[in-house]
Amino acid sequence: MQITDKIIENHGLTKDEYKNIQKLLKRNPNLLELGIFSAMWNEHCSYKSSRIHLKKLPTKGKQVIQGPGENAGVIDIGDEDAIIFKIESHNHPSYIEPYQGAATGVGGILRDVFTMGARPIALLNSIHFGSPSHPKTKSLLNGVVSGIGGYGNCIGIPTVAGETKFNETYNENILVNAMAVGHAKKSKIFYSKAKGVNKAVVYVGSKTGRDGIHGASMASAEFDENSEEKKPTVQVGDPFTEKLLLEACLELMRDDSIIAIQDMGAAGLTSSSVEMASKGLLGIELNLEKVPCREENMTPYEMMLSESQERMLIILEDGKENHAREIFKKWDLDFVVIGKTTNTGNLTLRYNDNLEGEIPISLLSSSAPIYEREFSKKRVPTDKIKIKDLKKIKLEDALLKILSSPNHSNKSWITNQYDQMVMCDTAQRSGSDAAVIRIHGKDKAIAVTVDSSANYCKSHPYTGGKQIVSENWRNLISVGAKPLAITNCLNFGNPENKEIMGEFAECLDGIKKACEFLNFPVVSGNVSFYNGTNNKNIDPTPVIGGVGLIKKLVQPINHMFKGNNNIIILIGKTFGHLEQSCYLKENYSIISGKPPEVNLINEKNNGEAVLNLINLNLISSAHDISSGGLITALSEMSIGSNFGVKIKKPKKLTSSIEYFFGEDQSRYILEINEKNLIEVEKILQSKNIYYEKIGFTQDNNFEIEGEMKISINDLFKVNNQWYNNY
Amino acid sequence: MNSSVIVFPGSNCDRDIAVALEKMQFKNKMVWHKETKLPKSDLIVIPGGFSYGDYLRSGAIAGKSLIIDEVIKAAKSGCLILGICNGFQILTETGLLKGTLLRNRNLKFINKDVNIKVINNKTSFTSKYKLNQILKINIAHNEGNYFTDKDHLNKLKNENLIAFQYCDVNGNISDQSNPNGAVENIAGIYNSKKNILGMMPHPERMVDNLISNTDGINLFASIMN
Amino acid sequence: MKFAVTVTLKKDVLDPQGKVVQDTLANLGMKSLKNIRQGKFFEIEIEEKNQLKAEELINDMCKKLLVNLIIEDYKISKL
Amino acid sequence: MKFAVTVTLKKDVLDPQGKVVQDTLANLGMKSLKNIRQGKFFEIEIEEKNQLKAEELINDMCKKLLVNLIIEDYKISKL
Ligand SMILES: Nc1ncnc2c1ncn2[C@@H]1O[C@H](COP(=O)(O)OP(=O)(O)O)[C@@H](O)[C@H]1O
Ligand SMILES: [Mg+2]
């Protein structure tokens, strides 16, 4: 077949990239080979625009067993235990078919985690939708939420945390990021690096169909009016089969049959075989007529590029074939030896003994293009908001407006659709700052959470990047966990656009800075570019997924007030930073100015002090302050608990609006029983922590002296109506 | 006491129930669905989950598996059988319990803690509870909307075969305290001989204060008695 | 030979799905909608030349697995 | 007027349910079964005397709600 310009374009390759392929191969590729190049060289698999920036991220630490470069990151939580986790995007498929897109997103990230030997113990997600008034938003929300639940519930892994946001920047391009967390024994971690020649390459799992062909290139292209045409590539998830695959893999992993194992994710058989061979500096030969197919007459091209779900590739030790086959048979799954490792360094593809294609592996991996794309830096915005110039809104009205807004409303409409309790180790379900999952059969636990702050990142990417890592850190501290490491999903617009590339580079600088300072390394992640339609790009939305450790779980601490007449302490300084705040956005539709600055020294000191107090059992409840400021955080602590508050207005106050709604960073609210107060103050003073005693808890009413008083029942109602009315 | 937990492809609360049983001092065995013999058991549990993905109808395909014939035999000889969630669905598909579980009336999966009331405390499963005691138990299902015909419903009432009903914190049984649309707020039922209990709520999730509460413990303690 | 099997809930069985669909359609402004009930549909291909025998086989499948006779009715038709 | 709508998965789309049902029927001894695919079925009654208009309405319902056009095909027939 003649490779025309049109074919090259349809494969998402530029003319220069094609010329480079010809040069590297020293000949023209055939269509199968071109398809393979396009799959491996697209943005999604090759990280061609992001790679030089990702290198900057701190990935090391005493707690890190495996950083980026494998299917997922691995950290040490003491004893024999390791935690394996990663986050991944499934934005484009979810926009096209929300239920299946989200479901297969969950399925895909689970495979990344159990392919390394972990039993998944928690699922999280970060979902961003367009404005609620946009005609598509409601059905996207419904579809995505039931898709996430549908997959996780069926396979039986609790979905325990996440975030849900609405903003018109996602009108034409929603974000669906899924994170999976698993537990493994340190001595039983499996990697994807092939070793040894002539080893059996085994295909296990579901059969291959025509679904998802070109999915990886779809994830690397902007949407346009013709996106509808790409629909047939949508994959259907089969969580039941994944459950079987999970159990079969974990069963096989009990002994030492496996040399290397890799899930078939984006670009399916192509990327999994290339990745395993490339890491082992080996060749791989596949006999494609052996591939289990669902449809008749599938071509080698279709088999190599199919993104059918629930499949894995395994390289087996000699003599283990029958043993392994028995296990997969028990679980009713296909198990076929489809090839072997070689010493040629080539990807060799045969179909009924005909050579269909042959490409040196290194051309697909290490010779893949790397772009140092141009980028522009962003200045710190200087516009200031003067409260005095704005129409006055009563404090109470402003608070109710925030609490009833889609972004701040209670999310139980969503989380009630997720099984949060299956596996019986969920000690803190969704709703608090982080979820807490006990390690099965032990008395330690991990805390997990995901966060993003797109408007901060849009306004000033560097500060935004720093802020989001810090917020994640704070959330883990708030449930009494020592933050250990993060995974990140970097959702950005078109990297060929200088400003977008600038947002990317600078966000990463900010992330790097915070991670380094807080000893909170990045162990895995994913980049999703081209989030936008017709040159309208989304706001930069890096999503951070963090994991922390609770060494001994006595009683999980959360954000809900526990008693009457307890002292409320505010940790950290309040300056009243209103630019980019939720207050201005919800009440005045103003989004301007710079995001709040993060002082990493304060961040660290405050956080460590809070963690210390929690570990000493001196705290009844804790909550970090984020979007919506102090008053929003206080009301969140009341809603759902049986207690209100009585807060004194601070004396040196310039404006109560700034004090109560300012989004200054590094702050926490702690509830303390009177009997612990002396001890707590002693510790805070000894560590030079700035704090204020701002009031105490009381029955029934949420009260700011001289400003507002409302019953906690009313507060609850206001906070719980939006989803039910939408 | 000896218990057996039947494991189907797609069961996913099998480990949870095993942990609870062992905690309550049962000698427990896991039984794979392809097996044709049951170990000697005083209690057989069909656990929750999504056997066969809930494809076709929840519980339908598991209801056809090899081991089910053994379960039916055991049931006839008086062995205690407990079906939780998907296990309840499977029991109705095999005919061991009458009625069926339709989709939740809001067509959504529901996971939350709900209150249920102990309607009959004179059975092997509930003797340690007080009559009308209100429990807080977690539910997690797509199809928990119990339905049965009038005759059977009357029989359930007349012969005191309703095990639990959904209620509110104060014990009121009303439409508002009905999470899924089940007829008469039914959350669990017995067969006529009361040796088989099917229930949608998950008692095995409520045996540990660190995770939830201990309202499920007395179910297992009753059986142990 | 190819057959279609449609499975519907019996008249006196509550159909939560049908009801929600009906309400939603009404909300979408479909005023003339009187009633909608949802069921399942199977397309079955079997290797059997004799139509009578084939239908018997399909009937068997329905009774043994595809249909819950307590709450569902079914209809078989040749395609 | 009454209509039947059958909704089936497009040809190349994975049908996890159909597969499990097929395997189960095979295990139950139904050897001659070649293929089974599962879909949805709707029985719709509308108040509209004009058949053309009625069909248009039903078509509208399918597109707006009943069918996921991305992965499903549908067929309307008068009852
Ligand atoms: N933003 C990021 N930060 C750190 N590591 C990243 C990031 N993006 C990707 N990686 C790492 O690059 C590798 C390849 O990523 P990816 O292609 O998403 O994995 P997979 O092939 O398993 O889907 C992974 O090890 C991943 O953890
Ligand atoms: Mg992977």
Side-chain angles (χ1 to χ4, degrees), chain C residues 6 8 21 25 30 32-47 57 61 66, chain D residues 6 8 21 30 32-47 57 61 66:
Chain C
T6 55
T8 46
V21 170
L25 285 172
M30 313 265 173
S32 49
L33 177 64
K34 261 184 73 185
N35 190 29
I36 183 167
R37 283 179 78 81
Q38 183 168 348
K40 283 183 207 138
F41 175 77
F42 299 94
E43 212 179 82
I44 309 179
E45 207 181 328
I46 56 170
E47 235 156 333
L57 257 165
M61 292 183 189
L66 302 181
Chain D
T6 56
T8 48
V21 172
M30 313 268 171
S32 50
L33 176 66
K34 263 186 73 183
N35 191 29
I36 183 166
R37 281 177 81 80
Q38 183 169 342
K40 279 184 228 147
F41 174 76
F42 297 94
E43 213 179 82
I44 309 178
E45 207 182 328
I46 56 170
E47 234 156 333
L57 256 164
M61 293 182 189
L66 304 180

Side-chain angles (χ1 to χ4, degrees), chain C residues 2-46:
Chain C
K2 255 192 175 171
F3 292 86
V5 177
T6 55
V7 181
T8 46
L9 281 173
K10 287 192 173 154
K11 280 266 150 50
D12 51 350
V13 175
L14 180 82
D15 176 15
Q17 215 154 328
K19 192 176 165 300
V20 170
V21 170
Q22 177 151 5
D23 293 350
T24 313
L25 285 172
N27 283 341
L28 289 174
M30 313 265 173
K31 300 240 163 59
S32 49
L33 177 64
K34 261 184 73 185
N35 190 29
I36 183 167
R37 283 179 78 81
Q38 183 168 348
K40 283 183 207 138
F41 175 77
F42 299 94
E43 212 179 82
I44 309 179
E45 207 181 328
I46 56 170

